[in-house]
Structure formats: C-alpha cells, structure tokens
Amino acid sequence: MKGSVYHGGRALIGSEEGRVLSETDCGKLADGLAGFAQGGGKTIPEIVSWWQGELRWGRNRVTLASDRRDVRIKVKRQVLGTDGVATTNETDDASLEGVVRAAERIAAMGFNPAQDAGAFGAPPPVALEAPRTVVWSDATYNLTPKARAEIAQALVRPAEAKGLLSAGYIEVRAGARLQIINGQRFYVPYTHAQCSMTVRDPQGTGSGWAGDTNYDWAKIDTTALTEQALQKAVASRNPVALEPGRYTVILEPQAVADLLEILVRRMLRPPVVPGWAAEDGGGPFAKAKDSALDIWRTKLGSQVVDNRLTLSADLADPNLGILPEPGMKPVVTWIDRGVLTGLDYWRSYAVAQLGLDSALRSPALSYRLSGNGPETSIPEMIATTKRGVLVSRFWEVRELALKSLLASGMTRDGLWLIEDGKITKPVKNFRFTESPLFALNQLEQFGKPERVFRPVRSPDVPGLTPAVVPALKVRDFSFTSMADAV
Amino acid sequence: MSTTQFTRRDLLKAGSTAVALALLPRPLLADFGGPTPVPVPPIEDPDVKKLALRAIEAARSAGASYADVRLTHTYDRQVNGNSLLLTETQYQNLLPLVDEETMHVGVRALVNGYWGFAASPIWSPDEMARLAQEAVNQAQVNGLGLVRAVELPPIPKVVDGHWSTPVKRDPFQVSPLEMLDYMHSIGRYGELRLDRHIEPYNFVARAWFEYRCVMQDKAFASTEGSYLTQRFYRSHGSLQVEGSKGYKNLSHDDLHVHPAEFITTVGEGWESVGYDQATMREKIRQFYEEVLIPELLLPKQSVEVGRYDAVIEANGVAKLVSQTLGRATELDRALGYEANAGGTSYINDPLAMVGNYQMGAETLTVTADRSSPGGCATVQWDDEGVKPEDYTLIQNGVLTDFHTTRESASWLKDHYTKHQRPVRSHGCAAAATGREAPLTHVPNLSMAPGKESLDFKAMVGMLKSGIAIKDINPTMDFQCLNGWVPNPQVYRVRDGKCVARIEGAALLFRAPELWKGIRALGGPDSVRRFGFSSAKGEPAQETYHTVAAPPALFQQLTLIDVRRK
C-alpha cells in the first residue's frame, strides 16, 4: 500500500483533536488521491471535514443532544480532455483508490468536456491568494455538551416560568476545506454557531421567535434572544384581523433579510443559466436592448433603489465573518448609494458567455445593507408612524417574476398594528405580494445595521453566509390576503 | 499499466453486468477488529453484527437505559439524461453521472429520559465504543436535575431479520451507459415530437430527463436484543418538458413546465423509468397528445378573481394530502416539538382532537402504511426496529390517529386505552442515514377513492362552470393551515369542457375548508401514486414517502391574480 493515511485519517476523525482534519491530514489525503491516479491528466480534490455539537429542545425540555462528524472527499479526474467526479467519506487507502477509479471510469466515458476545477470553473489568469481572514472561534469549538445544556436550560426557564412553551436549537460547528486550484493548495478552517428559539403560548394564540448566527459563539447573546422570543410571544397573543391592503411597514432586520434573500441571490451569485444574466436581458438588472449593437444594456450606473442605501461586503468587516476563498474580492460594492455598481457571475459563465474576465469573485451570499445618513431606532420609527404595521419576520418568500422580482410570502411570529405613533394591537398574519426592489425604493427611514439569522444549514456545504441589515420603514407595502396561522 | 480507458462501444458490447461492476467503485473498507481493514461485506455478514453489538454493549455499560445503533452504507448515483442535449458552454457544471458512496454509523442512547446521539463515518470496534460513550455523555448532561419521562412501549424482538426492497432491475447493476443512452434517446424523441406538433405555434421546447438511484444497506441493533438488516432502493425519475411560446430562446418569464406524471419517485429499481423504448415513446406520445397539445390549442385567458368549483388531478390531490394531512398529523409536530423548525400544526390540541376532530368531508378517508410495494417509505422495520403497521389516519372525515414513534405512541396512551387499542408505535421513525438521529416522518398515505368510476375528465364533465387543475405546487404556512398555489396549470371549465387556459393565477385555500368541500372523488381506476420528500428537524433531515390519491372535485376554491399587489 502506498503512503498510508489509513491510521492517520481514521483514528483522527474519532479523536477529540481530530474533530476537524488538520491541514497536514487533508494534505495527506490529497496526496493519497493524486498517488492513486492512473492514465495521466489532472487530479483535483476537494476535502471538507466537519464536526457539530447540537442541542435541540421542545416543550421546555431537551429532546436531543448530539455530536456528529463527517468528511467528504470529492475528486475530479481529468483525463484526455474529459472529467469524472466521485465522492466518498472514507479516508483509508483502498477507499481513496476506489474513489479515484470511480472518477476515472466516469471520465473514460467521455461525456464531460474537461473544465478546470476550483471555485471558478475556469482557470484564473493569475496566481490566487486566499484572503487571510480568521473565521475560527475557540468559543465555538470549545462549547462543551454540558455548557450547551446549561445554556438551553437558562433559555427555557423564563418561558416555563410564564407558562409558555419554548422550542429551540443550538449548534456549534467547526469545519475545514482543502481546495486545490491550479496546483495551489488552499486550506481554510472555520467555525459556525447558531442559536434560535420559538416561544408559544400553550393555546397557540401567540408566537415569538429570535435567532442569531455568527462564526463566533461568544458574539451570540442568548439572554437577549430568549427575552425577545418571550416578549414577542406574549405581545402577539390573540391577534385581531386587519384588512389586507397597502400599509406603511416597519420591517425588523430579520424581516428585511428574509425579503432581500431573493434579491441577493440574483445579485451576488446569479445561476449559471443562459439568458438569466443582465447582459443577456434576464433578471432585474437588464435595462434595454440596444438593437444597433444587438446587446443588452444593464442597469449598471443607474439608480435601482433609494439613494440612501448601499449594499456591500468587506472581508475585513468584523460584524460579518465571511469564509475567505481563493480569489475572493476583499471589498465589493453592488449598490452604492442607490446606484447599481456591481454584478457578479461565475467566472466560467462570465468568460464564455459575456466576454467578461475578472480574476476575482465577490463573497458568496454575504452582505451588508447600510443606510447613508441619520439612523432611526425602531421605537422612533414607531413613534413617527400614523398608521402602519410592525413586521418581525417573513416565511417562504417565493419569487414570482424574474424581472421585477415580485415575490410572495407570509409574515410570522409577531405582527402589530401601529396607530398614532403607538403599537395598539397584535394582528393576524398576512400574505404579501411585493418586490424587494419596490420596498427599497419606498424607503422612509432606516435603522442601525444588525446581524441577522442566516445559517448555512448543511454542514456538507462549507461556508458562512453572514448578513448585516438595518430595520427599514417602507411605504405602501402590499399585503394581499390574511393567513390566520400562528 | 493499462487504465480503464473503455470506449463507449466497448462497454456496450461487454454487456450490462460487466459494465456495471466495472463502474462501481471498489467497496469501501471497514475495520472489524482484524489485523487490517477489509472490504465491507454484505450487510447480513456476522462481522457487521459484531460491530453493532459492540456499540450496544458499550452504551449499556456506560449507563444507557436504552440504546440503538444504525450502520448505513449508501450508494447514490445521479444520471443526467440532458447532458448530451446541451451545448458545451451551457450548464458547465452539469455532469452526466455523479457517484457517491458513503458509510455512517449513529448511536442513540437514553439516560434518565434524555436522548443523546453521536455519529461518524467510521466503522470500527473502537469507534463503536467511542460513539456509544459519547451518546451516553450527550444524554447524561441534559437532565440537569429536571425529570423527563420517556416510555417506550414494548415491541417484539427481532433477531437476525433481513429484508430487501424488491426490485426488478437493480439500478446499480445496469450500466450507466445504457441509462444515458436510453435517456438521451427519449429526451431527443421528446423534442422531436414536440417540434413537429407545435411548430406552427412558434413554441420552443426541451425535454428534461433525470434519474437518481439510491441504494442503502442498513443494520440496526438495540439494547432490547433486536438485530436486523435491510437493503433499500429508491429511484428518483423525472421527465419534464419545458417550453415557451413566441421566443427564440426559452424565456423564464413565460415558461411552461410539464412534468410527465408517469415518472415519479418510488421505492423501486431501474424498472420505474427504464421501460422498453417503444413503451416509453408511446407514453410520451400519449402525454403530448392528451396533456400538452390540447393545452396549447386552448386560448389564453386572464384571471377572473373569484371562487370556483375545481377538479384537481390526482397528482395535485396527492400533493395536498402530503402537505396538509400528512405533515399536520406528525404527532411531534402537532405537539410543538417542531415549532422552531418546520412549524406546528392546525391540529393544535392533538390529544383532545384525536377521535373527534372533523378533518374533512365524510368521503375523506386516509390510511397510512410503510408496506405498499414501491412506496418510498416502505420498510420491513423502521429506524427503531419496529415493524410498522397499517393504520387509518382519517376515517370518514374524522381524525383517528397520528404518525408515531415508540416514544410518541405513549403520549396517545389515554386515547388508545379508551378505544381498547394497544399502545404501540406505528413505526414512523426514520432518518436518511446513520448520520441523522431518527424523527417521526410521514409514511406512505392512501386516500380512499370514490365508489363511482369517475376520472378527471368525467369530473370535469360534471362541472357546469368552474376550473380544472392539472398540476400544482402548494406552499403551506407554518401550521399546514393556509395554502397558496402560485401559477397552477389551471383551465376554465364551462358546460363540462375546458375552454381556456388561465394564466397568472394563484389558488388560496384553508386546509379544513378544502377537505370539507370535497364534492366528488375519482374512482379506484383513477388513483395514481406519487413520491414526495419531506424535511423536518434541526439539523434538517429529509425522507421520502408515497401518496396515492384519486382526482377530486372541490367546491368553491379561491382563485386570485398571482401578481396583483
């Protein structure tokens, strides 16, 4: 057997210090894969290793506490101009050889034209550097099962004392990814933590929610979360029906993020589908066809939202915590004071379809929305509202039209009527039909940007998707029907 | 040294079995305590049992009052029949074949009423002991002085049971080349037929054919002495035609998508999609002629907002059963254990509502099982070693039961005792692999058909004025209560005939009113079955179930303009 990583790899995953494979171990696995390659060509591995400590509770008692770990070894073999990809989660020599052979057999079928791997799908023209941002937190990695249990109990106790029912989840994750792009090795370790809870009254007439995600557990204020969920549960009880229609809304930061999700997915990482890019006339940022040149003009340089708003990402932003990837732009601004200044594509698509070449890519799905000018707190927004609705969060926001980004979804976990500068009563949930672009154009006031709940749900997908957004007060937001679920 | 550089012709010539073997990766290794790791044997091998028992013993001696272990070995293959139909620069990341092989083991332990769980990819005696200890540790720290009562109603012990999903053609013994060849030819045929029929309408189309097969070996052992092994197969086939009218390229703002309903997700092998060419072509021809062409010939009509009697085709009814009845009757969900994940249920006081809550019209009867041949949720034993039983969920419109596991069955003790029924799990504990701890999942569901031999067409014929709905994708709220269906395939019906295609509509409904408004059900011959996934839990996990349902006529559904603000 060739340089065996069998004992190294296996023993390590099961050990305390081996919860996440080290750079050396990932390197050994990558070497192992390369060593088993036959028939020339390239061997392009990606190794993802993760550990998670989890705790879940329902009806005020812990229902499951768990410790899980796994590794994904994905290898692309590029032989005679074709690609083959196979994946396994076993680290011994025979399994590594097996997965390399599987990839070679698929390559030998000759169906996949070769593409250089890596995050780009096409070879970058310059040597890449992985931005050196630290997204590792010992507080996350070292949050023990006992500590998790104690935190959970502290979160549940106030709800139980008030005769309410709490359900929630704490998760701490540590992971590492090794990528090899153009022969260069990039190893990034990271942590990810989330805490969220739902508090309901036993009759099911009120519900409150709170949640936070960050790479650093120490930054998550669990006491504040439980207070918020409890307060919302109590204050949202016995809601009254309100007529659907256009309302001034105060969207709490979580609601803003829920609404913006479809917009940022279009803007930061448009799918690699022909005809969807602005330059092909697709999506919300295509402007008009220039028939003389037979090309589409985009809205780059045009005002697309209220001129006080800026949408950007900065790897150095301590409130974000973005997982650095090789070739990632350190700073990117998509919308600068209302004006569209950046669009992002997979590099392979940009080169092949659009004739654009940029070596660097924007941080995937991580962003900050901020206002330029004086910030208004939520109580001030309420005090200055004659008649409006306060929204806690949205649920199942679905896009209905690609060009306008018209979408529909529901409110949940707390909705209140504001009359003459005061919250007067909880109201039943609404379904809305509205576009995030419309909302961002009907801006009245904005608050201080805050971190929102935006977890990467599957540990198999390495990454972090932090977002920082302000609360927004928006005119004429369209609620189209009542949905009386609590 | 010669490599595996087969040409496609070589492989086809070699015959399917040889090729399939050549294309499977070598088996993964496991450490059974011998001097070196060995290739994973068939799941019934006594070595696997030894490994499982090691975990059980370790959990017991660490202090678990109950523990179980699941070892899974999963093969997952995706075959993409579209890959050859697209040009190189499109869909760069679409590979025709993706192979994945993984092994997992998960140990669950109960200590003082608290559950702990630990999972990893390693099969070895040491790892079994470590995971058992970790699971017990996880369970132990959570009590913190608070009592939590867990009762596990007794189940019959099964020793060395083995079961396998019956398949006619094991998809991992069929050459992927044969699969691709077949799928490409069908996709091609689909495009050609469409072109010929609709060229005059300037309709651009593409046929999508995808297939994914999953094979999983699973061993289960518990501290109660059960040991059993199973092999499951699941086939995810999908064939759909996408098209848009009046454009040179497919436009996503005016895109028609038509899934061919004769291909769905099932607990079967390659036979679920791999018909012979002639049969498949005939099915596609029928699909075009009965579904697509008539639709294209109908005039377009915008939405007249209002309430209409509506006939919904079997696939739509099955989706509604899955999302409004299937999920709402997960007992853990109804009690609020899922409140922070997928949500709760409109059956918000389950223990008081079971046995008397009117879920729908008297004609609504739904049974649940994990035994239907070809069902996605069909097993011999669930993930707690329980042999599932068939049960009636809704009898003549009244809620009679819930989906349960061993722990949750005991929550219904009073109800079962009152009705002289044994307190017993229905066997709904499931998880995708050994990596996830089992939760209550929706089993296969069957909605009883009507007595008269009606089908979709006949029911449309009964409507003087109303709508007919071919396909829907409902979105439910967090209590499975309010439904919203954007852009259904919906037709205006007058005097028993579809007279126009309604565009840009959405349906709104509330689940109880929907089911109470059943006016007629299709007969036994009109029942179709469909496979669906359902996700729940934190961390999220996904399983599959099958729903069999007839088309149905509902009264007074609300139709709105989907884009009206």
Side-chain angles (χ1 to χ4, degrees):
Chain A
M1 278 179 137
K2 300 182 189 180
S4 174
V5 294
Y6 175 78
H7 294 290
R10 278 215 161 166
L12 264 169
I13 293 176
S15 69
E16 179 55 29
E17 64 278 12
R19 284 186 272 167
V20 178
L21 292 180
S22 67
E23 184 162 11
T24 317
D25 281 305
C26 285
K28 275 189 200 164
L29 290 172
D31 291 342
L33 291 168
F36 288 119
Q38 289 180 350
K42 281 188 193 169
T43 308
I44 303 156
E46 186 185 57
I47 296 159
V48 175
S49 151
W50 58 262
W51 158 84
Q52 278 192 178
E54 302 147 347
L55 183 139
R56 194 175 189 216
W57 70 90
R59 293 181 75 91
N60 299 337
R61 290 291 178 276
V62 173
T63 52
L64 186 72
S66 39
D67 176 293
R68 306 187 304 139
R69 48 194 79 179
D70 205 354
V71 57
R72 295 181 74 74
I73 298 167
K74 186 170 164 183
V75 62
K76 178 189 273 196
R77 284 284 293 126
Q78 206 164 75
V79 189
L80 297 173
T82 57
D83 280 351
V85 176
T87 305
T88 185
N89 72 338
E90 296 294 314
T91 55
D92 56 85
D93 277 354
S95 301
L96 297 183
E97 183 172 5
V99 76
V100 169
R101 289 293 160 270
E104 282 168 355
R105 286 174 197 122
I106 294 170
M109 288 162 65
F111 287 150
N112 300 307
Q115 299 155 42
D116 269 296
F120 298 91
V126 291
L128 297 168
E129 228 179 284
R132 302 203 175 271
T133 311
V134 175
V135 279
W136 178 275
S137 146
D138 283 345
T140 306
Y141 188 65
N142 294 327
L143 193 74
T144 63
K146 184 137 192 296
R148 300 197 287 270
E150 283 163 0
I151 292 162
Q153 203 179 64
L155 297 181
V156 163
R157 210 179 292 126
E160 194 169 23
K162 288 205 168 168
L164 301 169
L165 294 174
S166 175
Y169 182 55
I170 292 170
E171 180 187 283
V172 279
R173 175 188 306 167
R177 172 171 64 187
L178 179 79
Q179 282 173 290
I180 299 187
I181 299 170
N182 276 0
Q184 276 179 273
R185 254 175 213 197
F186 299 98
Y187 174 84
V188 198
Y190 57 94
T191 53
H192 181 283
Q194 60 165 300
C195 178
S196 65
M197 73 204 75
T198 302
V199 176
R200 297 169 64 82
D201 76 322
Q203 290 74 40
T205 69
S207 180
W209 175 91
D212 195 3
T213 41
N214 195 258
Y215 78 93
D216 185 359
W217 174 261
K219 289 199 180 133
I220 296 179
D221 182 349
T222 55
T223 312
L225 292 180
T226 199
E227 277 166 13
Q228 186 193 323
L230 210 65
Q231 184 270 328
K232 283 182 183 282
V234 172
S236 67
R237 282 185 296 191
N238 303 313
V240 298
L242 198 62
E243 273 299 306
R246 286 181 186 273
Y247 287 87
T248 293
V249 288
I250 296 169
L251 306 175
E252 291 190 359
Q254 189 65 45
V256 173
D258 294 342
L259 182 64
L260 287 190
E261 200 64 40
I262 57 166
L263 173 66
V264 296
R265 280 181 191 278
R266 285 274 171 255
M267 176 167 282
L268 313 190
R269 182 67 74 86
V272 195
V273 176
W276 282 40
E279 288 82 349
D280 287 344
F285 303 116
K287 196 182 212 169
K289 181 135 190 181
D290 183 328
S291 39
L293 295 174
D294 197 29
I295 56 165
W296 279 85
R297 300 280 185 205
T298 69
K299 289 184 183 166
L300 281 166
S302 309
Q303 190 184 325
V304 290
V305 301
D306 187 280
N307 64 12
R308 287 168 288 173
L309 294 174
T310 292
L311 184 68
S312 60
D314 184 343
L315 280 180
D317 188 336
N319 287 314
L320 283 175
I322 298 168
L323 183 73
E325 286 181 34
M328 196 178 257
K329 291 176 192 167
V331 182
V332 61
T333 304
W334 293 284
I335 295 175
D336 190 357
R337 292 175 188 257
V339 175
L340 185 70
T341 50
L343 287 169
D344 210 23
Y345 305 101
W346 280 32
R347 190 167 177 277
S348 57
Y349 181 70
V351 172
Q353 298 285 310
L354 307 174
L356 297 171
D357 192 1
S358 154
L360 299 179
R361 200 185 67 196
S362 304
L365 298 177
S366 309
Y367 68 94
R368 165 186 283 268
L369 179 73
S370 50
N372 307 286
E375 289 166 354
T376 312
S377 70
I378 291 179
E380 284 167 340
M381 288 183 191
I382 294 169
T384 52
T385 303
K386 177 108 181 70
R387 186 176 159 84
V389 173
L390 175 64
V391 181
S392 297
R393 64 190 287 227
F394 291 117
W395 163 260
E396 291 268 13
V397 179
R398 293 245 196 119
E399 187 182 292
L400 291 168
L402 185 63
K403 285 208 197 300
S404 63
L405 285 187
L406 186 71
S408 185
M410 291 182 58
T411 62
R412 72 175 291 187
D413 298 316
L415 191 69
W416 292 273
L417 180 66
I418 300 162
E419 292 170 299
D420 297 321
K422 287 196 178 64
I423 289 181
T424 51
K425 52 192 130 182
V427 294
K428 289 189 175 176
N429 282 311
F430 278 127
R431 169 163 291 286
F432 72 87
T433 307
E434 194 54 273
S435 160
L437 284 169
F438 178 86
L440 295 181
N441 270 301
Q442 301 296 314
L443 184 71
E444 293 207 336
Q445 293 164 330
F446 56 85
K448 182 175 178 292
E450 285 172 30
R451 205 165 59 229
V452 293
F453 182 73
R454 212 149 168 268
V456 176
R457 292 189 192 272
S458 168
D460 292 330
V461 180
L464 299 162
T465 51
V468 173
V469 299
L472 299 178
K473 184 156 114 186
V474 165
R475 287 181 303 272
D476 293 334
F477 192 84
S478 181
F479 292 119
T480 42
S481 63
M482 203 180 71
D484 58 346
V486 176
Chain B
M1 187 177 155
S2 88
T3 64
T4 41
Q5 295 288 325
F6 306 113
T7 66
R8 201 159 145 261
R9 183 182 291 173
D10 286 342
L11 287 168
L12 285 174
K13 248 181 1 198
S16 67
T17 309
V19 173
L21 290 176
L23 281 158
L24 270 181
R26 281 171 47 171
L28 300 179
L29 297 202
D31 177 354
F32 294 104
T36 53
V38 293
V40 181
I43 197 73
E44 302 102 293
D45 194 280
D47 274 347
V48 179
K49 182 177 182 180
K50 267 191 239 161
L51 221 48
L53 295 185
R54 174 76 191 254
I56 292 306
E57 282 317 309
R60 189 184 280 135
S61 52
S65 56
Y66 168 86
D68 54 32
V69 59
R70 290 166 307 125
L71 293 115
T72 58
H73 182 190
T74 313
Y75 294 86
D76 191 321
R77 172 170 289 169
Q78 291 174 48
V79 188
N80 199 323
N82 314 307
S83 48
L84 275 196
L85 302 176
L86 298 167
T87 60
E88 270 177 39
T89 48
Q90 293 175 317
Y91 298 86
Q92 299 236 2
N93 296 304
L94 207 61
L95 299 170
L97 183 66
V98 177
D99 257 353
E100 189 171 308
E101 186 185 0
T102 51
M103 287 163 69
H104 292 103
V105 49
V107 181
R108 195 172 62 136
L110 183 66
V111 182
N112 298 327
Y114 288 88
W115 291 102
F117 180 73
S120 96
I122 302 164
W123 288 22
S124 78
D126 288 352
E127 186 69 355
M128 296 300 135
R130 183 190 75 81
L131 291 172
Q133 180 62 57
E134 183 63 54
V136 168
N137 178 42
Q138 293 283 334
Q140 250 162 2
V141 296
N142 285 305
L144 297 172
L146 288 175
V147 179
R148 182 170 186 270
V150 169
E151 213 179 304
L152 301 179
I155 53 166
K157 189 163 99 175
V158 184
V159 183
D160 296 331
H162 180 75
W163 183 81
S164 180
T165 307
V167 288
K168 291 198 182 83
R169 283 195 79 188
D170 180 341
F172 291 89
Q173 297 293 325
V174 178
S175 160
L177 292 166
E178 184 189 329
M179 290 179 178
L180 281 166
D181 204 50
Y182 171 77
M183 292 166 76
H184 289 151
S185 69
I186 297 300
R188 203 75 206 138
Y189 175 79
E191 287 188 348
L192 293 175
R193 294 232 24 122
L194 201 56
D195 279 351
R196 197 179 315 143
H197 275 87
I198 60 171
E199 222 164 61
Y201 305 95
N202 188 20
F203 193 91
V204 190
R206 170 165 71 199
W208 289 99
F209 199 164
E210 289 169 353
Y211 180 69
R212 173 183 163 214
C213 46
V214 178
M215 173 172 81
Q216 184 174 73
D217 284 335
K218 186 187 281 179
F220 170 92
S222 78
T223 46
E224 293 175 353
S226 282
Y227 181 75
L228 37 98
T229 57
Q230 299 178 82
R231 166 169 282 195
F232 304 110
Y233 288 91
R234 199 174 61 237
S235 284
H236 304 253
S238 100
L239 174 68
Q240 66 178 34
V241 173
E242 283 185 2
S244 64
K245 210 169 171 179
Y247 292 90
K248 267 189 181 170
N249 294 312
L250 291 172
S251 153
H252 285 260
D253 271 355
D254 182 30
L255 190 71
H256 299 247
V257 180
H258 302 279
E261 63 179 46
F262 53 89
I263 292 185
T264 180
T265 300
V266 286
E268 289 178 0
W270 174 243
E271 69 273 14
S272 64
V273 299
Y275 305 97
D276 62 89
Q277 286 275 355
T279 310
M280 190 64 175
R281 288 181 184 201
E282 176 57 23
K283 276 176 179 285
I284 289 177
R285 195 189 60 75
Q286 262 180 10
F287 176 64
Y288 281 1
E289 276 164 23
E290 287 168 15
V291 181
L292 271 181
I293 308 299
E295 168 178 317
L296 288 168
L297 295 175
L298 283 176
K300 246 200 285 193
Q301 182 186 306
S302 56
V303 192
E304 286 170 56
V305 173
R307 287 162 72 79
Y308 298 88
D309 286 353
V311 181
I312 303 182
E313 182 55 290
N315 63 351
V317 176
K319 282 178 191 165
L320 292 166
V321 168
S322 169
Q323 294 202 25
T324 68
L325 303 176
R327 265 179 223 181
T329 50
E330 293 169 356
L331 187 51
D332 57 344
R333 181 177 178 123
L335 281 167
Y337 287 101
E338 287 288 316
N340 195 52
T344 59
S345 169
Y346 64 92
I347 303 166
N348 54 8
D349 192 0
L351 306 185
M353 290 158 98
V354 63
N356 55 59
Y357 180 66
Q358 195 73 34
M359 298 277 287
E362 277 209 7
T363 45
L364 178 69
T365 291
V366 178
T367 54
D369 73 81
R370 299 193 70 182
S371 58
S372 316
C376 295
T378 297
V379 297
Q380 187 75 1
W381 300 281
D382 81 346
D383 274 5
E384 295 184 310
V386 174
K387 190 171 188 318
E389 54 181 3
D390 301 356
Y391 54 100
T392 303
L393 195 62
I394 299 163
Q395 177 75 54
N396 301 116
V398 177
L399 172 72
T400 52
D401 219 330
F402 285 93
H403 314 306
T404 57
T405 59
R406 289 185 71 187
E407 181 181 353
S408 62
S410 70
W411 303 338
L412 287 169
K413 201 170 176 178
D414 288 350
H415 171 69
Y416 288 145
T417 313
K418 201 171 108 193
H419 292 85
Q420 282 121 40
R421 288 167 59 185
V423 182
R424 183 190 187 283
S425 164
H426 287 317
C428 300
T433 69
R435 198 172 85 172
E436 292 87 19
L439 287 172
T440 310
H441 282 271
V442 182
N444 302 320
L445 300 171
S446 302
M447 179 173 165
K451 293 195 178 71
E452 290 172 61
S453 66
L454 293 170
D455 63 5
F456 182 77
K457 255 189 203 156
M459 274 189 282
V460 171
M462 286 159 63
L463 272 186
K464 195 155 164 43
S465 170
I467 52 176
I469 299 168
K470 279 273 190 191
D471 193 26
I472 55 174
N473 281 306
T475 299
M476 299 307 297
D477 68 32
F478 30 88
Q479 278 193 303
C480 312
L481 177 62
N482 292 279
W484 172 72
V485 186
N487 301 309
Q489 275 178 33
V490 55
Y491 308 87
R492 186 74 171 97
V493 179
R494 280 186 212 281
D495 299 320
K497 284 204 174 65
C498 291
V499 293
R501 176 161 48 106
I502 304 174
E503 298 227 315
L507 277 174
L508 285 177
F509 65 87
R510 280 179 100 253
E513 282 77 27
L514 173 85
W515 296 112
K516 281 173 191 159
I518 298 175
R519 272 183 49 199
L521 292 172
D525 292 343
S526 67
V527 172
R528 301 282 179 274
R529 63 169 193 179
F530 303 88
F532 305 113
S533 71
S534 93
K536 71 184 297 188
E538 284 178 302
Q541 51 170 270
E542 191 178 45
T543 62
Y544 291 83
H545 61 275
T546 291
V547 180
L553 170 55
F554 296 91
Q555 65 185 21
Q556 297 295 296
L557 295 190
T558 302
L559 200 65
I560 59 164
D561 179 344
V562 71
R563 295 189 184 190
R564 191 188 66 85
K565 295 220 290 191

